[in-house]
Amino acid sequence: MNVVTFIKYSFALMISVLRPILFKEYKKYISSTMLISILCLLIYSNGIFIYKYYTGIIDKEKLYEKMKKGISLKNVLISCISQIRFSLKFICISMLPLSISIPIAKLDIIFTEFFDYLINGQPITYNIISSTILLLIGIFILNYDKIMNNKSSDNYKLIYLIGLIISTILVGFINVYYSNYDKHNDVEDVMYTESAGALIIALIICYYNISRKKEKKPDIKTILTIFLVTLFIFNGSIVLKWELLKTEPLIRNQLIMNLSIPITFLIGLFYYKEKLNIKKFIGLIFVMTGIIYYVYTSNQYYTDKQK
């Protein structure tokens, strides 16, 4: 790994740690934050389109082609699925302890490889099966008290756990779809495509929650703060991911990003004062063991494949 790639991964890891904190900090403005994050993607992508058009990088015909392709029926449908995934993840992480939600959210690597098999025909290896078993055991232990209806110091509902797992499955599909889409498009095309249909879902959810007074409407200062934060976090994460996918395999990319698990786990313990018990610790060990085992065997698999 060269220096430039290392720096990109460092920034990507920093952003991945900031995202769950954003979820927690603005959970009383959930739908408003989701809507603002989508607008950030649209503003950035359309800004790049306009810049390229007026600097002569693309002509009027190419600009029209990009705009039309991004709002095709297929891409709008994928974008809506992506927004459902994002909405579920946003809500569930904001309602669950970070020490539980982040290890579960990082299961997306398992579902990424599963959909990579279904869509691209990549083989499912024994290491993915073994790692999945370890990860599932870890999830069960992390949520043992809730699943068994025992007294738990963590105050959350199982529905959020189920929602996060569904979101994680959808993340696997979206990762594979956009990794294929990325190969033939610029980053602004990807951001425009992902946000075009998502804007519809975000507008509906935001309007419903605020009109029914299920959510407080943020003031101007809060809106500007969320806008600036999401502009950096969400746009930055997509740009970095797109750049890294140019040189790094999809699965290896996902593996390295799992280093955020112990970081966010510690943030949950020290910043949010979440309780650490023996079950939670053992559950995390199982999850990390599953990931480390997968990293080791996956690297061996890629090395043998290149020989």
Side-chain angles (χ1 to χ4, degrees):
M1 184 185 296
N2 59 42
V3 176
V4 175
T5 302
F6 175 78
I7 292 172
K8 287 178 181 178
Y9 270 123
S10 298
F11 276 108
L13 280 167
M14 179 184 70
I15 291 174
S16 70
V17 170
L18 291 175
R19 288 182 70 167
I21 296 175
L22 174 70
F23 295 162
K24 301 284 283 186
E25 291 295 317
Y26 291 104
K27 64 182 180 181
K28 61 181 179 181
Y29 304 118
I30 288 179
S31 57
S32 297
T33 306
M34 289 190 292
L35 177 59
I36 293 171
S37 68
I38 298 302
L39 291 173
C40 285
L41 296 183
L42 277 173
I43 291 170
Y44 180 87
S45 57
N46 281 279
I48 298 297
F49 287 158
I50 293 170
Y51 168 78
K52 286 188 172 183
Y53 174 70
Y54 281 105
T55 54
I57 297 174
I58 58 174
D59 55 21
K60 187 175 181 179
E61 184 179 345
K62 186 66 175 178
L63 175 62
Y64 177 74
E65 180 186 334
K66 285 175 174 287
M67 301 290 285
K68 184 180 177 181
K69 184 178 180 181
I71 56 173
S72 66
L73 182 60
K74 178 183 178 181
N75 283 331
V76 168
L77 178 60
I78 295 296
S79 179
C80 288
I81 294 173
S82 180
Q83 181 60 24
I84 291 170
R85 170 267 312 176
F86 175 68
S87 300
L88 276 173
K89 186 174 182 178
F90 194 116
I91 292 168
C92 294
I93 286 181
S94 67
M95 297 300 178
L96 289 168
L98 287 179
S99 52
I100 290 175
S101 63
I102 299 306
I104 296 173
K106 290 302 177 180
L107 281 175
D108 58 0
I109 186 173
I110 302 297
F111 298 108
T112 297
E113 183 150 343
F114 174 73
F115 283 107
D116 203 21
Y117 162 73
L118 290 181
I119 296 172
N120 297 327
Q122 293 294 327
I124 293 180
T125 55
Y126 288 111
N127 64 326
I128 192 67
I129 297 173
S130 302
S131 299
T132 302
I133 293 172
L134 287 170
L135 290 166
L136 290 175
I137 293 172
I139 289 176
F140 177 80
I141 296 172
L142 278 171
N143 295 276
Y144 177 83
D145 289 332
K146 286 291 180 181
I147 294 171
M148 304 304 292
N149 292 320
N150 292 337
K151 185 177 179 181
S152 174
S153 58
D154 292 316
N155 185 25
Y156 67 93
K157 297 179 181 178
L158 277 176
I159 188 67
Y160 296 122
L161 174 64
I162 296 169
L164 184 58
I165 292 173
I166 293 172
S167 168
T168 304
I169 294 171
L170 293 177
V171 168
F173 169 73
I174 295 299
N175 280 342
V176 174
Y177 179 83
Y178 280 120
S179 70
N180 292 337
Y181 192 85
D182 289 353
K183 295 172 185 175
H184 311 289
N185 296 274
D186 296 323
V187 63
E188 63 271 13
D189 297 317
V190 178
M191 295 170 78
Y192 173 70
T193 300
E194 186 166 3
S195 58
L199 182 62
I200 300 171
I201 303 294
L203 281 169
I204 293 172
I205 294 174
C206 187
Y207 175 78
Y208 175 82
N209 283 344
I210 292 178
S211 63
R212 295 297 182 92
K213 297 186 177 181
K214 294 179 177 291
E215 180 182 314
K216 184 180 178 182
K217 185 179 179 180
D219 55 36
I220 298 298
K221 183 180 178 181
T222 302
I223 290 174
L224 289 174
T225 302
I226 294 173
F227 176 80
L228 292 174
V229 172
T230 53
L231 187 66
F232 168 71
I233 291 178
F234 290 97
N235 290 4
S237 64
I238 292 177
V239 171
L240 284 169
K241 184 176 181 179
W242 183 82
E243 287 291 333
L244 287 166
L245 281 172
K246 287 181 179 179
T247 57
E248 298 294 316
L250 173 63
I251 299 301
R252 188 179 298 170
N253 200 332
Q254 295 294 109
L255 290 171
I256 294 174
M257 294 308 296
N258 278 308
L259 291 172
S260 62
I261 293 179
I263 300 172
T264 46
F265 187 87
L266 292 174
I267 290 172
L269 293 179
F270 293 105
Y271 183 76
Y272 290 103
K273 309 299 180 183
E274 294 173 4
K275 302 296 183 181
L276 175 64
N277 54 44
I278 188 64
K279 295 189 189 75
K280 192 177 288 187
F281 181 75
I282 293 173
L284 181 67
I285 292 297
F286 267 93
V287 171
M288 292 302 297
T289 301
I291 292 171
I292 292 170
Y293 171 75
Y294 184 81
V295 170
Y296 176 74
T297 54
S298 178
N299 283 337
Q300 279 195 325
Y301 172 77
Y302 282 120
T303 301
D304 294 341
K305 193 176 180 181
Q306 290 173 351
K307 289 181 179 179

